[in-house]
Amino acid sequence: MGAKVLIVEDEEALSDLLSYNLEKEGFEVAVCSDGQDALVMVDEEHPDVVLLDWMLPHVSGIEICRQLRARVETREIPIVMLTARGEEEDRVRGLDLGADDYITKPFSMTELVARIKAILRRASPMVAGDVATFHDISLERDTCRVRRGIREVKLGPTEFKLLDVLMKRPGRVYSREQLLDQVWGQDVYVEARTVDVHVGRLRKALNKHGDKDPIRTVRAAGYALDETYAG
Ligand code: CA
């Protein structure tokens, strides 16, 4: 499954064109045409990257960018700003507010796709093919195998999925709700504290021999792979 791009763009023709081209490139695409819905869509869709138009109805792209960066759950999501304005001042402002890249309309699809791919490579350099690694931990998706150093770690299917989600973006803090959605699915009703139970099991399996805990608990926010962990 390809990375998911959330397109926030009110010009329908452009939004359609973007969807078409990104899907053709193997991306999964979600579309939003209103600034007000964008934040809700980010929470629901968990995009790997957001393509964000500057001029939007109700809430501007800049404001959305600011709000995404202000929240712990969303501040690591790469953002590419799309804009008709080419002024240097706006560009600087967008990047100041935390946009990762900036593309001025009109742009070529080839260039846009190349920039998105570059950003995704930067955002998740640990994910290569079907093996994810984080220091001494490796996770093979096709065989469902996890190792810590040379030791094989036995995990249940839920713990495996949990670790897989956390390893996609080391350092990013996932809320219990986000983990529920991504591990159990959005249509399943599971209590938030179930996440704590499974994170506990995951830790126990990973740290069996007194190894350092690679998972960080963020008070009132959720869980993350600890960026300061060094294996
Ligand atoms: Ca617009």
Side-chain angles (χ1 to χ4, degrees):
M1 198 169 65
K4 189 187 266 188
V5 183
L6 173 64
I7 301 170
V8 187
E9 167 61 74
D10 58 317
E11 281 165 61
E12 211 184 319
L14 180 55
S15 172
D16 288 351
L17 189 69
L18 285 165
S19 304
Y20 173 79
N21 281 281
L22 290 170
E23 277 172 358
K24 210 173 67 179
E25 289 289 330
F27 290 103
E28 219 186 312
V29 172
V31 178
C32 171
S33 59
D34 186 295
Q36 233 156 29
D37 302 333
L39 292 165
V40 179
M41 286 284 283
V42 168
D43 288 338
E44 285 175 355
E45 299 287 339
H46 309 292
D48 296 293
V49 59
V50 179
L51 259 186
L52 185 58
D53 185 29
W54 185 295
M55 303 290 279
L56 289 164
H58 306 293
V59 183
S60 75
I62 272 295
E63 178 56 22
I64 294 165
C65 182
R66 201 185 60 73
Q67 291 191 28
L68 288 176
R69 286 299 176 251
R71 291 165 58 208
V72 98
E73 300 89 346
T74 55
R75 73 176 170 216
E76 303 292 333
I77 304 174
I79 299 172
V80 179
M81 297 286 303
L82 292 179
T83 179
R85 308 177 187 195
E87 291 94 351
E88 191 61 18
E89 200 179 298
D90 288 342
R91 201 183 108 86
V92 170
R93 206 171 138 221
L95 295 174
D96 264 0
L97 280 168
D100 295 85
D101 204 351
Y102 185 104
I103 296 183
T104 308
K105 294 177 191 174
F107 49 83
S108 83
M109 280 298 157
T110 319
E111 191 195 348
L112 179 83
V113 168
R115 297 247 206 128
I116 290 178
K117 285 183 177 167
I119 274 181
L120 287 170
R121 272 197 301 274
R122 262 187 278 152
S124 43
M126 288 65 181
V127 183
D130 274 347
V131 182
T133 55
F134 178 69
H135 299 285
D136 60 343
I137 302 166
S138 69
L139 175 148
E140 277 178 38
R141 298 207 172 85
D142 45 358
T143 58
C144 291
R145 274 209 162 126
V146 173
R147 286 176 203 281
R148 183 152 193 186
I150 52 160
R151 176 171 71 88
E152 179 150 3
V153 180
K154 295 250 180 279
L155 295 179
T158 305
E159 287 71 40
F160 181 85
K161 276 185 168 176
L162 254 177
L163 182 62
D164 192 7
V165 171
L166 292 172
M167 284 182 76
K168 278 186 184 135
R169 206 70 73 68
R172 172 170 168 189
V173 180
Y174 289 88
S175 69
R176 289 174 178 79
E177 289 69 27
Q178 285 174 329
L179 291 171
L180 280 176
D181 284 354
Q182 293 194 39
V183 175
W184 282 264
Q186 291 194 3
D187 306 323
V188 182
Y189 179 76
V190 186
E191 275 183 70
R193 67 181 186 85
T194 307
V195 176
D196 302 334
V197 172
H198 287 275
V199 170
R201 284 186 198 159
L202 174 59
R203 275 182 165 141
K204 205 171 156 197
L206 282 175
N207 311 335
K208 215 172 182 174
H209 299 287
D211 301 302
K212 204 178 155 221
D213 190 3
I215 302 171
R216 188 161 70 96
T217 303
V218 184
R219 267 190 69 193
Y223 296 100
L225 278 188
D226 192 346
E227 274 173 312
T228 65
Y229 171 79

